[in-house]
Amino acid sequence: MLRKNLRFSIIEGSWFALMFGLGENYLSAMAVYLGFSALQISILNSLPQLIGAFIQLGTDAITKLFKSTRSFVVNLSILQSILWVVLIIIINDSTSYYPILIWSIVYYSVSSIIGPAWISWMGYLVPLRIRSNYHANRNRIIHFIIFVSILFGGIILRVYEQNMIFAFSLMFSIGAFGRIISSYYLSKKNTIETTPSTLKINYRKLFSDKRKLTFISYNTFIHFSVMFLGPLFSIYILRTMELSYFVLTLCMVSWWLGNVFSSRTWGRLGKLKGNLFLLKISTLLMCILPAFWISVYYFGPNGRIIVSLIINLLAGISFSAFGLASFNIIYELCSEDDVIKFSALTNCLKGVGIFLGSLLAGLIVDSSYLITLLQDFNFTTIQLSMLISIVLRFASLFILTKLTLEHKNA
């Protein structure tokens, strides 16, 4: 039974990867193509996640409305698939900003509600003794499929570059199909009955735990810091450096290559040294990445392409460790009874950090005053936002040094 659940988890995650690679991964590129401003794209990337983050605080209560966690996750996964069809209808009818913003809010609200329930479900299905290695291997497979999907998406954009709306519609259709198949395999796994817990955990109690509070503070601040660059990446590649959509695709592919091929090594290191050690190493690497992005602007066209691919490879390696360590630390900090609520609270405050970081970054990049001020120095407002990101990332690393965990070799 355990082996069946683990196998189905990999299969459903693989089909989910098809949706992510051809869908979510290209939403910013679609927004750039539609001509949205940096501030509009920043809001599009962050406001839906903020609203979804607050909604997911009620995941525990909403889950109870269903017979089981499986039923809850499967039904919302099907809804996600339907929403991609809705987006296709929207972009073929109008290129207006607000319908797409509303769609994003609904989509990420559904996605955010699924998250904590799925994490709790996986914690129930995957024994502690194999958790680190299993998730590392699962992530490696899923990320490889995301990598292939992104590359396929780039080919679609290249083939249909004269009809980009059709290209995005085709990609989102395939993504919707992937999510439907993913839902089917989710339904084949064992479930958790949604009976009321005998141990009542409230959010005030979570905040009173010093280790939990430190992790939440770090997680919020690092995502706040990263968003001074994250939502602007597509703009930096396509508009600031005037590279093509295919180069953007190659950059995303390079990111996922680094992510895929480093995940097993990070999993072994996490098992040997502990997830907290892994998180510190990855955060340090994330602190220096924006400096490379600032410098690539001063290369020639060919140099920009080569260096951008290398930076994305390093970024994929760094975020592979960050994602794996962050995911596993939640289980180290929580009992089975409070995983959903702690995960929801962590993601909620992360959403606040993402929104504020994105909003400030968008305001900086679109500021006519800063654009005029910096142009004499051959320095762009996006580079200024990256510089701020470096300082903030180092501040988040300082917060992380306050977190202590007891590591036990598995």
mmCIF file of all heavy atoms in Angstrom, residues 311-342:
data_model
loop_
_atom_site.group_PDB
_atom_site.id
_atom_site.type_symbol
_atom_site.label_atom_id
_atom_site.label_comp_id
_atom_site.label_asym_id
_atom_site.label_seq_id
_atom_site.Cartn_x
_atom_site.Cartn_y
_atom_site.Cartn_z
ATOM 1 N N ILE A 311 23.622 32.163 -15.123
ATOM 2 C CA ILE A 311 23.014 32.665 -13.882
ATOM 3 C C ILE A 311 21.753 31.875 -13.545
ATOM 4 O O ILE A 311 21.508 31.524 -12.377
ATOM 5 C CB ILE A 311 22.687 34.165 -14.010
ATOM 6 C CG1 ILE A 311 23.953 34.984 -14.223
ATOM 7 C CG2 ILE A 311 21.973 34.654 -12.742
ATOM 8 C CD1 ILE A 311 23.687 36.454 -14.554
ATOM 9 N N ASN A 312 20.950 31.598 -14.552
ATOM 10 C CA ASN A 312 19.722 30.828 -14.305
ATOM 11 C C ASN A 312 20.029 29.411 -13.844
ATOM 12 O O ASN A 312 19.287 28.842 -13.028
ATOM 13 C CB ASN A 312 18.861 30.800 -15.562
ATOM 14 C CG ASN A 312 17.924 31.986 -15.653
ATOM 15 O OD1 ASN A 312 16.916 32.056 -14.969
ATOM 16 N ND2 ASN A 312 18.285 32.950 -16.477
ATOM 17 N N LEU A 313 21.097 28.834 -14.361
ATOM 18 C CA LEU A 313 21.516 27.511 -13.901
ATOM 19 C C LEU A 313 21.854 27.550 -12.411
ATOM 20 O O LEU A 313 21.411 26.693 -11.632
ATOM 21 C CB LEU A 313 22.720 27.041 -14.709
ATOM 22 C CG LEU A 313 23.212 25.616 -14.437
ATOM 23 C CD1 LEU A 313 22.219 24.605 -14.974
ATOM 24 C CD2 LEU A 313 24.586 25.400 -15.077
ATOM 25 N N LEU A 314 22.626 28.573 -11.996
ATOM 26 C CA LEU A 314 22.984 28.729 -10.580
ATOM 27 C C LEU A 314 21.748 28.999 -9.725
ATOM 28 O O LEU A 314 21.635 28.504 -8.603
ATOM 29 C CB LEU A 314 23.994 29.866 -10.427
ATOM 30 C CG LEU A 314 25.369 29.662 -11.072
ATOM 31 C CD1 LEU A 314 26.210 30.934 -10.965
ATOM 32 C CD2 LEU A 314 26.091 28.500 -10.404
ATOM 33 N N ALA A 315 20.829 29.791 -10.266
ATOM 34 C CA ALA A 315 19.599 30.095 -9.532
ATOM 35 C C ALA A 315 18.764 28.834 -9.322
ATOM 36 O O ALA A 315 18.207 28.611 -8.234
ATOM 37 C CB ALA A 315 18.790 31.146 -10.285
ATOM 38 N N GLY A 316 18.682 27.992 -10.353
ATOM 39 C CA GLY A 316 17.942 26.738 -10.223
ATOM 40 C C GLY A 316 18.534 25.836 -9.160
ATOM 41 O O GLY A 316 17.809 25.209 -8.376
ATOM 42 N N ILE A 317 19.863 25.778 -9.115
ATOM 43 C CA ILE A 317 20.545 24.980 -8.095
ATOM 44 C C ILE A 317 20.231 25.516 -6.707
ATOM 45 O O ILE A 317 19.931 24.755 -5.774
ATOM 46 C CB ILE A 317 22.068 24.983 -8.349
ATOM 47 C CG1 ILE A 317 22.398 24.222 -9.634
ATOM 48 C CG2 ILE A 317 22.825 24.377 -7.168
ATOM 49 C CD1 ILE A 317 23.832 24.359 -10.090
ATOM 50 N N SER A 318 20.277 26.836 -6.550
ATOM 51 C CA SER A 318 20.031 27.464 -5.247
ATOM 52 C C SER A 318 18.603 27.243 -4.771
ATOM 53 O O SER A 318 18.361 26.860 -3.622
ATOM 54 C CB SER A 318 20.319 28.969 -5.333
ATOM 55 O OG SER A 318 21.621 29.221 -5.782
ATOM 56 N N PHE A 319 17.643 27.478 -5.669
ATOM 57 C CA PHE A 319 16.240 27.365 -5.275
ATOM 58 C C PHE A 319 15.808 25.910 -5.103
ATOM 59 O O PHE A 319 14.824 25.635 -4.420
ATOM 60 C CB PHE A 319 15.344 28.086 -6.280
ATOM 61 C CG PHE A 319 15.277 29.570 -6.057
ATOM 62 C CD1 PHE A 319 16.205 30.410 -6.634
ATOM 63 C CD2 PHE A 319 14.306 30.111 -5.247
ATOM 64 C CE1 PHE A 319 16.170 31.788 -6.420
ATOM 65 C CE2 PHE A 319 14.241 31.484 -5.023
ATOM 66 C CZ PHE A 319 15.185 32.322 -5.618
ATOM 67 N N SER A 320 16.527 24.981 -5.700
ATOM 68 C CA SER A 320 16.264 23.566 -5.462
ATOM 69 C C SER A 320 16.494 23.226 -3.989
ATOM 70 O O SER A 320 15.665 22.576 -3.345
ATOM 71 C CB SER A 320 17.165 22.708 -6.353
ATOM 72 O OG SER A 320 17.016 21.332 -6.038
ATOM 73 N N ALA A 321 17.623 23.686 -3.472
ATOM 74 C CA ALA A 321 17.937 23.447 -2.057
ATOM 75 C C ALA A 321 16.971 24.197 -1.150
ATOM 76 O O ALA A 321 16.497 23.661 -0.137
ATOM 77 C CB ALA A 321 19.374 23.883 -1.768
ATOM 78 N N PHE A 322 16.654 25.428 -1.520
ATOM 79 C CA PHE A 322 15.750 26.249 -0.716
ATOM 80 C C PHE A 322 14.366 25.605 -0.607
ATOM 81 O O PHE A 322 13.798 25.500 0.475
ATOM 82 C CB PHE A 322 15.630 27.641 -1.338
ATOM 83 C CG PHE A 322 14.561 28.496 -0.723
ATOM 84 C CD1 PHE A 322 14.763 29.106 0.497
ATOM 85 C CD2 PHE A 322 13.343 28.684 -1.373
ATOM 86 C CE1 PHE A 322 13.775 29.898 1.078
ATOM 87 C CE2 PHE A 322 12.356 29.466 -0.814
ATOM 88 C CZ PHE A 322 12.575 30.075 0.414
ATOM 89 N N GLY A 323 13.821 25.157 -1.747
ATOM 90 C CA GLY A 323 12.492 24.556 -1.738
ATOM 91 C C GLY A 323 12.437 23.265 -0.949
ATOM 92 O O GLY A 323 11.508 23.036 -0.167
ATOM 93 N N LEU A 324 13.446 22.410 -1.132
ATOM 94 C CA LEU A 324 13.481 21.128 -0.430
ATOM 95 C C LEU A 324 13.612 21.327 1.070
ATOM 96 O O LEU A 324 12.888 20.714 1.860
ATOM 97 C CB LEU A 324 14.647 20.284 -0.950
ATOM 98 C CG LEU A 324 14.845 18.920 -0.302
ATOM 99 C CD1 LEU A 324 13.636 18.025 -0.565
ATOM 100 C CD2 LEU A 324 16.118 18.257 -0.820
ATOM 101 N N ALA A 325 14.527 22.205 1.477
ATOM 102 C CA ALA A 325 14.763 22.430 2.904
ATOM 103 C C ALA A 325 13.554 23.079 3.569
ATOM 104 O O ALA A 325 13.139 22.671 4.663
ATOM 105 C CB ALA A 325 16.003 23.304 3.088
ATOM 106 N N SER A 326 12.964 24.077 2.923
ATOM 107 C CA SER A 326 11.792 24.759 3.485
ATOM 108 C C SER A 326 10.635 23.786 3.674
ATOM 109 O O SER A 326 9.942 23.815 4.700
ATOM 110 C CB SER A 326 11.353 25.909 2.570
ATOM 111 O OG SER A 326 12.364 26.865 2.438
ATOM 112 N N PHE A 327 10.422 22.942 2.682
ATOM 113 C CA PHE A 327 9.337 21.962 2.738
ATOM 114 C C PHE A 327 9.530 20.996 3.910
ATOM 115 O O PHE A 327 8.615 20.749 4.696
ATOM 116 C CB PHE A 327 9.297 21.195 1.413
ATOM 117 C CG PHE A 327 8.166 20.219 1.298
ATOM 118 C CD1 PHE A 327 6.912 20.632 0.905
ATOM 119 C CD2 PHE A 327 8.361 18.873 1.581
ATOM 120 C CE1 PHE A 327 5.865 19.730 0.791
ATOM 121 C CE2 PHE A 327 7.317 17.964 1.472
ATOM 122 C CZ PHE A 327 6.064 18.392 1.071
ATOM 123 N N ASN A 328 10.741 20.462 4.051
ATOM 124 C CA ASN A 328 10.993 19.474 5.104
ATOM 125 C C ASN A 328 11.024 20.085 6.503
ATOM 126 O O ASN A 328 10.653 19.427 7.483
ATOM 127 C CB ASN A 328 12.316 18.750 4.828
ATOM 128 C CG ASN A 328 12.212 17.767 3.673
ATOM 129 O OD1 ASN A 328 11.160 17.167 3.450
ATOM 130 N ND2 ASN A 328 13.285 17.608 2.925
ATOM 131 N N ILE A 329 11.431 21.340 6.613
ATOM 132 C CA ILE A 329 11.503 21.983 7.926
ATOM 133 C C ILE A 329 10.114 22.155 8.530
ATOM 134 O O ILE A 329 9.942 22.099 9.758
ATOM 135 C CB ILE A 329 12.250 23.328 7.824
ATOM 136 C CG1 ILE A 329 13.760 23.068 7.769
ATOM 137 C CG2 ILE A 329 11.930 24.243 9.002
ATOM 138 C CD1 ILE A 329 14.608 24.307 7.565
ATOM 139 N N ILE A 330 9.101 22.337 7.697
ATOM 140 C CA ILE A 330 7.730 22.443 8.209
ATOM 141 C C ILE A 330 7.368 21.196 9.013
ATOM 142 O O ILE A 330 6.778 21.276 10.095
ATOM 143 C CB ILE A 330 6.733 22.654 7.054
ATOM 144 C CG1 ILE A 330 6.899 24.049 6.469
ATOM 145 C CG2 ILE A 330 5.290 22.438 7.523
ATOM 146 C CD1 ILE A 330 6.013 24.338 5.282
ATOM 147 N N TYR A 331 7.761 20.025 8.501
ATOM 148 C CA TYR A 331 7.475 18.776 9.211
ATOM 149 C C TYR A 331 8.321 18.651 10.482
ATOM 150 O O TYR A 331 7.882 18.046 11.467
ATOM 151 C CB TYR A 331 7.730 17.580 8.297
ATOM 152 C CG TYR A 331 6.765 17.474 7.142
ATOM 153 C CD1 TYR A 331 7.213 17.560 5.828
ATOM 154 C CD2 TYR A 331 5.402 17.303 7.357
ATOM 155 C CE1 TYR A 331 6.331 17.469 4.760
ATOM 156 C CE2 TYR A 331 4.516 17.211 6.298
ATOM 157 C CZ TYR A 331 4.980 17.293 5.005
ATOM 158 O OH TYR A 331 4.106 17.203 3.955
ATOM 159 N N GLU A 332 9.513 19.205 10.467
ATOM 160 C CA GLU A 332 10.364 19.152 11.664
ATOM 161 C C GLU A 332 9.823 20.038 12.775
ATOM 162 O O GLU A 332 9.979 19.742 13.956
ATOM 163 C CB GLU A 332 11.795 19.580 11.317
ATOM 164 C CG GLU A 332 12.545 18.591 10.428
ATOM 165 C CD GLU A 332 14.010 18.958 10.279
ATOM 166 O OE1 GLU A 332 14.617 19.395 11.276
ATOM 167 O OE2 GLU A 332 14.555 18.819 9.169
ATOM 168 N N LEU A 333 9.171 21.120 12.400
ATOM 169 C CA LEU A 333 8.676 22.073 13.387
ATOM 170 C C LEU A 333 7.293 21.706 13.923
ATOM 171 O O LEU A 333 6.910 22.161 14.993
ATOM 172 C CB LEU A 333 8.603 23.476 12.771
ATOM 173 C CG LEU A 333 9.929 24.183 12.495
ATOM 174 C CD1 LEU A 333 9.689 25.453 11.687
ATOM 175 C CD2 LEU A 333 10.638 24.521 13.796
ATOM 176 N N CYS A 334 6.547 20.882 13.184
ATOM 177 C CA CYS A 334 5.142 20.650 13.506
ATOM 178 C C CYS A 334 4.828 19.192 13.795
ATOM 179 O O CYS A 334 5.464 18.291 13.253
ATOM 180 C CB CYS A 334 4.243 21.106 12.352
ATOM 181 S SG CYS A 334 4.383 22.835 11.951
ATOM 182 N N SER A 335 3.812 18.999 14.608
ATOM 183 C CA SER A 335 3.213 17.675 14.753
ATOM 184 C C SER A 335 2.213 17.503 13.621
ATOM 185 O O SER A 335 1.866 18.459 12.918
ATOM 186 C CB SER A 335 2.493 17.564 16.106
ATOM 187 O OG SER A 335 1.396 18.469 16.148
ATOM 188 N N GLU A 336 1.718 16.281 13.419
ATOM 189 C CA GLU A 336 0.757 16.024 12.336
ATOM 190 C C GLU A 336 -0.501 16.873 12.491
ATOM 191 O O GLU A 336 -1.132 17.249 11.515
ATOM 192 C CB GLU A 336 0.380 14.539 12.294
ATOM 193 C CG GLU A 336 1.496 13.634 11.779
ATOM 194 C CD GLU A 336 1.036 12.198 11.624
ATOM 195 O OE1 GLU A 336 -0.177 11.946 11.795
ATOM 196 O OE2 GLU A 336 1.883 11.336 11.342
ATOM 197 N N ASP A 337 -0.859 17.200 13.742
ATOM 198 C CA ASP A 337 -2.112 17.906 13.995
ATOM 199 C C ASP A 337 -2.075 19.367 13.559
ATOM 200 O O ASP A 337 -3.120 19.950 13.278
ATOM 201 C CB ASP A 337 -2.465 17.840 15.492
ATOM 202 C CG ASP A 337 -2.745 16.422 15.945
ATOM 203 O OD1 ASP A 337 -3.810 15.900 15.600
ATOM 204 O OD2 ASP A 337 -1.886 15.824 16.624
ATOM 205 N N ASP A 338 -0.898 19.980 13.548
ATOM 206 C CA ASP A 338 -0.872 21.408 13.244
ATOM 207 C C ASP A 338 -0.154 21.748 11.933
ATOM 208 O O ASP A 338 0.137 22.900 11.667
ATOM 209 C CB ASP A 338 -0.276 22.204 14.400
ATOM 210 C CG ASP A 338 1.200 21.902 14.643
ATOM 211 O OD1 ASP A 338 1.737 21.013 13.961
ATOM 212 O OD2 ASP A 338 1.800 22.549 15.518
ATOM 213 N N VAL A 339 0.102 20.721 11.097
ATOM 214 C CA VAL A 339 0.782 20.977 9.824
ATOM 215 C C VAL A 339 -0.050 21.895 8.938
ATOM 216 O O VAL A 339 0.468 22.863 8.361
ATOM 217 C CB VAL A 339 1.092 19.657 9.076
ATOM 218 C CG1 VAL A 339 1.471 19.942 7.631
ATOM 219 C CG2 VAL A 339 2.218 18.918 9.761
ATOM 220 N N ILE A 340 -1.362 21.601 8.804
ATOM 221 C CA ILE A 340 -2.200 22.407 7.923
ATOM 222 C C ILE A 340 -2.218 23.859 8.372
ATOM 223 O O ILE A 340 -2.007 24.785 7.576
ATOM 224 C CB ILE A 340 -3.636 21.846 7.859
ATOM 225 C CG1 ILE A 340 -3.679 20.570 7.024
ATOM 226 C CG2 ILE A 340 -4.590 22.873 7.247
ATOM 227 C CD1 ILE A 340 -5.069 19.999 6.833
ATOM 228 N N LYS A 341 -2.459 24.079 9.671
ATOM 229 C CA LYS A 341 -2.575 25.456 10.142
ATOM 230 C C LYS A 341 -1.238 26.196 10.089
ATOM 231 O O LYS A 341 -1.186 27.373 9.730
ATOM 232 C CB LYS A 341 -3.151 25.481 11.559
ATOM 233 C CG LYS A 341 -4.633 25.160 11.606
ATOM 234 C CD LYS A 341 -5.246 25.438 12.957
ATOM 235 C CE LYS A 341 -6.756 25.228 12.914
ATOM 236 N NZ LYS A 341 -7.399 25.489 14.220
ATOM 237 N N PHE A 342 -0.164 25.524 10.430
ATOM 238 C CA PHE A 342 1.141 26.184 10.374
ATOM 239 C C PHE A 342 1.524 26.491 8.936
ATOM 240 O O PHE A 342 2.036 27.579 8.629
ATOM 241 C CB PHE A 342 2.217 25.304 11.022
ATOM 242 C CG PHE A 342 3.587 25.913 10.990
ATOM 243 C CD1 PHE A 342 3.885 27.014 11.765
ATOM 244 C CD2 PHE A 342 4.576 25.407 10.154
ATOM 245 C CE1 PHE A 342 5.143 27.596 11.729
ATOM 246 C CE2 PHE A 342 5.833 25.973 10.111
ATOM 247 C CZ PHE A 342 6.122 27.076 10.906
#
